[in-house]
Amino acid sequence: MSFVSTLRQWDEAVACVEQRDPASALRIFLNIEEKNSKIFFNIGCLYLNNSELDEAEKAFDRSIGKDEHLAAAFFQRGVTFYKKERFEESLLDFQQAFKQLRGNQLIDYKPLGLRYKLYACEVLHNIGLVQAQLGKWEKAQENLLTALSLRADAKFSHIDHALDAILKQKLFPLVEIRAGLLFKPNKHYVAELEKRDYLGKAKVVSSIVPADEFSGFAPLQPQVDNVPSTPKVPEVLRVFEGEPHTVLYEFYPETKEELAVLPGNIVFVLQKGADNWASVVFNEKRGLVPYNFLEPLDIVTMTSKPMQIQPHYVYCIMVIINKIISQALLYSSQTNNIRDFSGCIVKVHFRFTIAVRIAHGQSYGIILQTISSKLKLPASALTLCYAKEGVEERVNLEESEMEAVWNSVKDNRLALWCSLTEVKYNSLTHLLVALYSYASSTPEDLDFEQGNIITVLSKVNDEWLEGQCNGKVGIFPSSFTSVVSSPMADWSGSGKPT
């Protein structure tokens, strides 16, 4: 049986339940060959409502076999076992239903087609009832207290009554799913079962045949006497009855009536006015063009017998010529717009990679200044090097190396490596410039903005210095700064002058 057949029977059975005919619904459900867990659940509910407990138990068994995570099926089978007074098995099913809730207060089955919410507090309510049936009053009280804490709404007042009954060691009613609630098939799938006439029935709007009621693909046509032997020339070819002309100059339209043409285009002049404007057709468009922009064109001239060309042949030839001219003009305009990019592309590997374009043969100073501007760092703070052929380690870039550098360029590409200049702090008073802004994180830190000048007072270690900036004294990371002035005095490294 196909999925469509199953869906159609499922929808029909649910409709029978809504019409209060559960017997017909049960018969239809049982006739479905490929039953899923939801259909077996529906069958079990119908048997349970009819008090056919053995059949209900079998149906819920098969529903759980199809979907072992369907908490509602465990809940209904627990109800079935309770009514059969098999309390141990009922307790296990209610506990399994609570486990499938997985810590949630409820499961809303509406997205799956069942308008029912299985609440954790009601499952615990039934667990407490079964434990009371087994004489486990203390455990029953514990589960009801837990159910009371999980109660999400005041409508669960029956939990309060159940707790009062437990304190008096009395039983209380069982919570069940209301009769008539079943899983329904997906409404979008059901909607697709209906046949739809997307084209509709043809209707005769106008016909030359009296009382024409034809509803097929075309109305009836009357027979015509004296059919002409010469076929009618298509309307689209009538425009080529004009005289072909070649466009001499480019013309841009200024009104809607005018037509844009380019030099070399071939147009057909339909009519020439006294005001020197011609009505022409070009690319199946009709418009006005100055006649002095045009020149008559002889399509075919031969020394012997002239060749007669039909209008549709002329049309094909003109279209091909116009396409060739348009492509040639487009290529020419694109070629003229190409910029002449000269120079070498230099890829610079820093903390990140950048690329700059530098003309061949430039000096070291220009290269350094270009990279400095790109990185927005002082040139004095940068050291450049390159991979020299035959040398394992990279060689520092200097003016004396520029000839070798430019000789190593391949395919107009050059790779350089950039690093911050290593500062050797050997002066008592040393000026540094801040490459980046630094915000203090402790009271001992010195904060500054990018571009501030910092006076070095002492060296704390290889990574931190002590300095003064904006009237404040503190420590700061040396990697945030670069050299400004040359050393004036030596120190021993301890911060004291020697």
Side-chain angles (χ1 to χ4, degrees), residues 478-497:
S478 59
S479 60
F480 278 57
T481 59
S482 179
V483 178
V484 173
S485 64
S486 58
M488 299 174 56
D490 294 334
W491 68 39
S492 61
S494 61
K496 297 180 180 181

Side-chain angles (χ1 to χ4, degrees), residues 10-31:
W10 187 355
D11 183 58
E12 184 181 353
V14 171
C16 291
V17 173
E18 293 175 349
Q19 295 171 5
R20 301 182 183 277
D21 188 6
S24 299
L26 183 59
R27 183 179 67 256
I28 296 172
F29 274 132
L30 293 175
N31 289 333

Side-chain angles (χ1 to χ4, degrees), residues 178-216:
R178 181 169 56 86
L181 291 180
L182 300 177
F183 277 107
K184 297 181 180 180
N186 190 301
K187 59 181 181 180
H188 300 293
Y189 293 160
V190 174
E192 295 297 328
L193 295 177
E194 301 178 3
K195 293 184 178 180
R196 298 181 182 181
D197 185 6
Y198 292 98
L199 297 177
K201 185 177 180 180
K203 180 180 179 181
V204 177
V205 178
S206 177
S207 176
I208 60 176
V209 179
D212 188 359
E213 297 180 355
F214 182 76
S215 61

Side-chain angles (χ1 to χ4, degrees), residues 215-343:
S215 61
F217 292 100
L220 295 175
Q221 301 294 333
Q223 298 295 326
V224 180
D225 298 331
N226 300 324
V227 178
S229 58
T230 305
K232 186 180 179 181
V233 179
E235 295 291 335
V236 70
L237 297 180
R238 288 187 178 182
V239 297
F240 298 106
E241 295 176 359
E243 298 179 1
H245 284 64
T246 303
V247 180
L248 300 177
Y249 312 105
E250 186 174 4
F251 175 69
Y252 289 101
E254 296 181 356
T255 64
K256 295 182 179 179
E257 291 77 15
E258 297 172 358
L259 191 64
V261 290
L262 295 173
N265 288 153
I266 298 176
V267 300
F268 290 85
V269 177
L270 302 178
Q271 183 180 3
K272 178 185 175 183
D275 55 356
N276 202 36
W277 285 86
S279 176
V280 304
V281 171
F282 173 64
N283 282 351
E284 300 181 5
K285 295 182 180 179
R286 183 169 180 169
L288 298 176
V289 175
Y291 187 75
N292 56 354
F293 281 45
L294 308 176
E295 182 182 28
L297 173 67
D298 292 332
I299 300 176
V300 177
T301 57
M302 299 182 66
T303 57
S304 59
K305 184 178 179 181
M307 179 183 297
Q308 294 182 354
I309 301 180
Q310 297 296 328
H312 55 279
Y313 294 147
V314 175
Y315 171 73
C316 294
I317 295 172
M318 296 304 104
V319 169
I320 294 173
I321 294 175
N322 285 327
K323 289 291 184 182
I324 294 174
I325 294 173
S326 300
Q327 292 296 328
L329 291 174
L330 178 62
Y331 176 77
S332 175
S333 63
Q334 291 177 346
T335 305
N336 293 333
N337 290 332
I338 295 177
R339 296 175 59 187
D340 182 18
F341 288 107
S342 61

